[in-house]
Amino acid sequence: MSLRDIKEAHERISSVINKTSIVTSHTLNEITKSSIFLKCENFQKMGAFKFRGAYNAISLLSPEERERGVITHSSGNHAQAVALAAKLLGIKALIVMPETAPQVKVNATRDTYGAEVIFCKPTIESRSQTTLKLIEKNDYTFIHPYDNDDVIAGAGTAAYELLNQVKGLDMVFAPVGGGGLLSGTSITVKGINSNIKVYGVEPKNVDDAFRSMKSGRIEINKTINSIADGLLTNLSERTFNIIQKNVDQIITISEQEILSAMRFIWERMKLVVEPSGACSLAGVLSSQVPIENKKIGVIISGGNIDLNEFFNLIQERIVN
Amino acid sequence: MSLRDIKEAHERISSVINKTSIVTSHTLNEITKSSIFLKCENFQKMGAFKFRGAYNAISLLSPEERERGVITHSSGNHAQAVALAAKLLGIKALIVMPETAPQVKVNATRDTYGAEVIFCKPTIESRSQTTLKLIEKNDYTFIHPYDNDDVIAGAGTAAYELLNQVKGLDMVFAPVGGGGLLSGTSITVKGINSNIKVYGVEPKNVDDAFRSMKSGRIEINKTINSIADGLLTNLSERTFNIIQKNVDQIITISEQEILSAMRFIWERMKLVVEPSGACSLAGVLSSQVPIENKKIGVIISGGNIDLNEFFNLIQERIVN
């Protein structure tokens, strides 16, 4: 894969995606003595960068594949991304979710974005078997959340826009879970200018990418204890190879660092971002890489977070 | 006052304020069958439009007045606006607050923006007397939150930017509390094009502006039971006269409508807005004015809301 793939993906999807804005903060720049540019994929359609990859991959399907429909398993942003992309392209979408998935995610996927939700037991085996059976029976095309070149190329278009919106960046930070976003980002950035540093940021509690880069082979997460619920997955061979080649360093951050960065973005910048979406800024603020006087691109991956409890608190205060 | 005052204020403050961005939403436009443009003053310095007026008023003081310092009483956005404007201009600021003011507001005003906070008893008498005594003793200049032409002119610069950022608007919605923002907005809009409708939006529970427009004289709020804590004050003669002349209609909305609009802005547009800041959109969505096929400017007045409880909920979930 190369920059060319990202450019082609961008041409393919640019009339449908939101060209998300860049947000800056005087306070943040003062604190860090640097110039930080947030690429706000929380403003993307369905609230996360995932829409870029899903739409790119699904729009590349043949007429026969479109006719049969697509399937994926996810209870996160990828589910909503596939559901919305399929809806916009007039294609049937099935999403396999554990029966324990939060109702808010089921509703968004089914009611807002019109996909068919299939429930499975909350185990990896049940998830795979349920999905496989449906594919065997109906020949649906499986859209993997990151182990797919077209999904990676779509994800890379966020960095492609960022580098066109902000000239002269010294470094770019992106979160890493399964590695789709970081793969697409690093191909894009290094393809445009190999002198720009690319950093992947990962919660310490799910540091498979960090350990994989050290050992030179794919390591597996030992827990899934992170509030960054979009980053709990492991790298695939595909994303590991791309990251090994293109990424300068993986930075790990504590749960407290994630929460602090998220709180800064909410309180001072007035943006709703999810914990995973705040990780890239947490990496910038973690002092593991010298950033003084640098021009820094930061990909904010998404803004989907359950606000029920918060709005219930306000609801209780209402006097009619 | 006229458009000329707004233009002069804008020239005076434009190098210091944030030229806040316009945010749109496909979903919102689809739902309402209109084109809605949010002028995001939650992105303004210190998080609300109030900075515009405070900075304009304080920068117009004479060298002698600057030497002596400024004072105001507020525990809301105006306090932080005066504190920050004074700090940036190198002027001493005193803020009189009730001793019952939330710690988060005291801290922001004192620690973040460097003003001196003077506590008073939580009564209007104590507040006035404390302020008056300090003025008598030290000859500080009082910066009123809205009953002041320079504050109103500064507030009007948000609409001035909006009308330059978005051409061809049919109507503009702004919230109304004491009436400073609505006064400045209506002078600006009608000065640029008297065909553009201007609507003020107010919580039903504090509907003094609505009743004042009906009766033709200043009416007083009977309760302060609204979650829109920036809109609890009454009009002054000054703002009432401007609003009577320039505003087409005052729209009142329920507490539930405020919460729904706020929730839409948070969940779907990923913006942190305070309840008062969501009122203008609640007015648009209230179906009291025909909006189909209209191009609508909506002033989102601010984004300062206490997020302690929310982040405490997330903090509890962290596993280290």
Side-chain angles (χ1 to χ4, degrees):
Chain A
M1 285 188 71
S2 73
L3 179 59
R4 194 195 170 115
D5 299 294
I6 314 290
K7 282 185 179 172
E8 285 174 4
H10 195 249
E11 270 172 43
R12 193 173 297 121
I13 68 178
S14 63
S15 68
V16 181
I17 55 170
N18 293 340
K19 182 178 167 179
T20 55
S21 36
I22 304 291
V23 174
T24 60
S25 155
H26 294 284
T27 309
L28 184 59
N29 291 344
E30 257 179 44
I31 294 170
T32 58
K33 301 193 180 84
S34 66
S35 299
I36 296 179
F37 300 86
L38 302 192
K39 174 65 172 167
C40 286
E41 286 295 298
N42 54 329
F43 292 155
Q44 189 50 264
K45 282 215 164 88
M46 56 60 57
F49 79 96
K50 290 277 185 186
F51 179 69
R52 295 175 182 266
Y55 193 87
N56 188 48
I58 298 175
S59 61
L60 278 163
L61 299 183
S62 69
E64 295 73 29
E65 289 168 325
R66 289 181 181 222
E67 186 62 37
R68 294 192 298 264
V70 295
I71 190 168
T72 197
H73 49 59
S74 162
S75 54
N77 286 329
H78 180 64
Q80 294 175 52
V82 167
L84 178 60
K87 182 185 175 191
L88 293 173
L89 289 161
I91 294 173
K92 178 178 177 176
L94 285 89
I95 315 289
V96 177
M97 280 189 191
E99 57 198 17
T100 52
Q103 196 60 37
V104 61
K105 303 229 170 185
V106 177
N107 290 349
T109 307
R110 190 172 54 195
D111 305 339
T112 310
Y113 301 120
E116 192 175 325
V117 174
I118 311 287
F119 292 102
C120 64
K121 301 268 169 219
T123 65
I124 293 175
E125 293 74 36
S126 168
R127 191 182 75 173
S128 299
Q129 279 178 10
T130 308
T131 310
L132 264 174
K133 266 188 207 158
L134 285 161
I135 292 174
E136 278 166 14
K137 195 173 162 201
N138 300 293
D139 209 7
Y140 299 127
T141 301
F142 183 66
I143 308 290
H144 194 280
Y146 52 88
D147 194 32
N148 174 320
D149 283 350
D150 301 325
V151 169
I152 291 172
T157 61
Y160 183 69
E161 286 175 8
L162 167 64
L163 268 66
N164 281 301
Q165 287 165 305
V166 186
K167 298 295 177 186
L169 288 176
D170 298 301
M171 39 180 74
V172 173
F173 288 71
V176 53
L181 179 61
L182 185 57
S183 292
T185 301
S186 62
I187 290 168
T188 306
V189 173
K190 296 295 183 181
I192 291 176
N193 180 349
S194 62
N195 292 323
I196 303 175
K197 302 276 187 192
V198 177
Y199 300 105
V201 185
E202 188 177 52
K204 270 197 183 78
N205 287 358
V206 286
D207 64 346
D208 65 309
F210 177 77
R211 288 184 288 113
S212 301
M213 286 279 265
K214 270 205 155 171
S215 70
R217 60 189 181 84
I218 292 187
E219 306 285 347
I220 300 299
N221 287 318
K222 290 159 186 165
T223 76
I224 51 162
N225 290 330
S226 177
I227 52 169
D229 56 358
L231 306 179
L232 308 179
T233 41
N234 299 296
L235 298 182
S236 69
E237 284 291 342
R238 187 191 313 262
T239 56
F240 177 52
N241 290 337
I242 296 171
I243 289 169
Q244 234 184 349
K245 193 177 149 203
N246 293 297
V247 172
D248 293 278
Q249 191 179 326
I250 302 288
I251 292 167
T252 62
I253 48 170
S254 70
E255 296 299 296
Q256 209 56 58
E257 286 176 307
I258 299 170
L259 196 59
S260 298
M262 182 175 158
R263 188 160 185 161
F264 184 92
I265 297 171
W266 285 56
E267 287 192 335
R268 304 302 295 263
M269 304 184 72
K270 311 300 179 189
L271 301 174
V272 174
V273 300
E274 57 188 87
S276 308
C279 286
S280 45
L281 183 63
V284 174
L285 298 175
S286 73
S287 308
Q288 291 174 61
V289 170
I291 56 168
E292 216 173 298
N293 299 318
K294 297 286 191 260
K295 212 164 163 181
I296 307 167
V298 175
I299 298 183
I300 300 297
S301 54
N304 291 331
I305 181 165
D306 187 345
L307 293 168
N308 269 330
E309 282 177 300
F310 176 67
F311 279 99
N312 287 343
L313 290 173
I314 305 180
Q315 179 77 50
E316 284 166 19
R317 270 180 230 136
I318 285 184
V319 179
N320 280 308
Chain B
M1 286 187 72
S2 73
L3 178 60
R4 193 195 172 116
D5 299 293
I6 314 289
K7 283 185 178 171
E8 286 175 3
H10 195 250
E11 272 172 42
R12 195 172 296 121
I13 69 178
S14 62
S15 67
V16 181
I17 54 170
N18 294 339
K19 183 179 167 180
T20 54
S21 35
I22 304 292
V23 174
T24 60
S25 155
H26 293 283
T27 309
L28 185 59
N29 291 345
E30 257 179 45
I31 294 170
T32 57
K33 300 194 180 82
S34 66
S35 299
I36 296 179
F37 300 85
L38 302 193
K39 173 66 172 165
C40 286
E41 286 295 298
N42 54 330
F43 292 156
Q44 190 50 262
K45 282 215 164 86
M46 56 60 57
F49 80 95
K50 289 277 186 187
F51 180 70
R52 295 176 182 266
Y55 193 87
N56 188 50
I58 297 176
S59 61
L60 279 164
L61 299 184
S62 70
E64 296 72 30
E65 289 168 323
R66 289 181 180 221
E67 186 63 36
R68 295 193 297 264
V70 296
I71 191 168
T72 197
H73 48 60
S74 162
S75 54
N77 287 329
H78 180 64
Q80 295 175 49
V82 168
L84 178 60
K87 182 186 177 191
L88 293 174
L89 289 161
I91 294 172
K92 178 178 178 176
L94 286 90
I95 314 290
V96 177
M97 280 190 190
E99 56 198 17
T100 51
Q103 197 59 38
V104 61
K105 304 228 171 186
V106 176
N107 291 348
T109 307
R110 191 172 53 193
D111 305 338
T112 310
Y113 301 120
E116 192 175 325
V117 174
I118 310 287
F119 293 102
C120 65
K121 301 266 169 219
T123 64
I124 293 175
E125 293 73 37
S126 168
R127 190 182 75 172
S128 299
Q129 279 178 9
T130 307
T131 309
L132 264 176
K133 266 188 206 158
L134 285 160
I135 292 174
E136 278 167 14
K137 196 174 162 201
N138 301 294
D139 210 6
Y140 299 126
T141 302
F142 183 66
I143 309 291
H144 194 280
Y146 53 88
D147 194 33
N148 173 321
D149 283 350
D150 300 325
V151 168
I152 291 172
T157 62
Y160 183 70
E161 286 175 8
L162 167 64
L163 268 66
N164 282 301
Q165 288 166 303
V166 186
K167 299 295 178 185
L169 287 175
D170 297 301
M171 39 180 73
V172 172
F173 287 71
V176 53
L181 178 62
L182 185 57
S183 292
T185 300
S186 62
I187 290 167
T188 306
V189 173
K190 295 296 183 181
I192 290 175
N193 179 351
S194 61
N195 292 323
I196 303 175
K197 301 277 187 190
V198 177
Y199 299 104
V201 185
E202 188 177 51
K204 271 199 182 77
N205 287 358
V206 286
D207 64 346
D208 65 308
F210 176 79
R211 287 183 289 111
S212 301
M213 286 280 263
K214 270 205 155 171
S215 71
R217 60 188 180 83
I218 291 187
E219 305 284 348
I220 300 299
N221 287 320
K222 289 158 189 167
T223 76
I224 51 161
N225 291 329
S226 177
I227 52 168
D229 56 358
L231 306 179
L232 309 179
T233 41
N234 299 296
L235 299 182
S236 68
E237 284 291 341
R238 187 191 312 260
T239 55
F240 177 52
N241 289 337
I242 296 171
I243 289 168
Q244 236 185 347
K245 195 177 148 203
N246 293 297
V247 171
D248 293 278
Q249 191 179 326
I250 303 287
I251 291 168
T252 63
I253 48 171
S254 71
E255 296 297 297
Q256 208 56 58
E257 285 176 308
I258 298 171
L259 195 60
S260 298
M262 182 176 159
R263 188 159 186 162
F264 184 93
I265 297 171
W266 285 57
E267 288 191 334
R268 303 302 296 262
M269 303 185 72
K270 311 299 178 189
L271 301 173
V272 173
V273 300
E274 58 189 87
S276 308
C279 285
S280 45
L281 183 62
V284 173
L285 298 173
S286 73
S287 308
Q288 291 173 62
V289 169
I291 56 167
E292 215 172 299
N293 299 318
K294 295 288 191 259
K295 211 164 163 180
I296 307 167
V298 175
I299 298 183
I300 300 297
S301 55
N304 291 331
I305 181 165
D306 187 344
L307 294 168
N308 269 329
E309 280 176 300
F310 176 68
F311 279 99
N312 288 343
L313 289 173
I314 305 181
Q315 179 75 50
E316 284 165 18
R317 270 178 229 137
I318 284 184
V319 179
N320 278 309

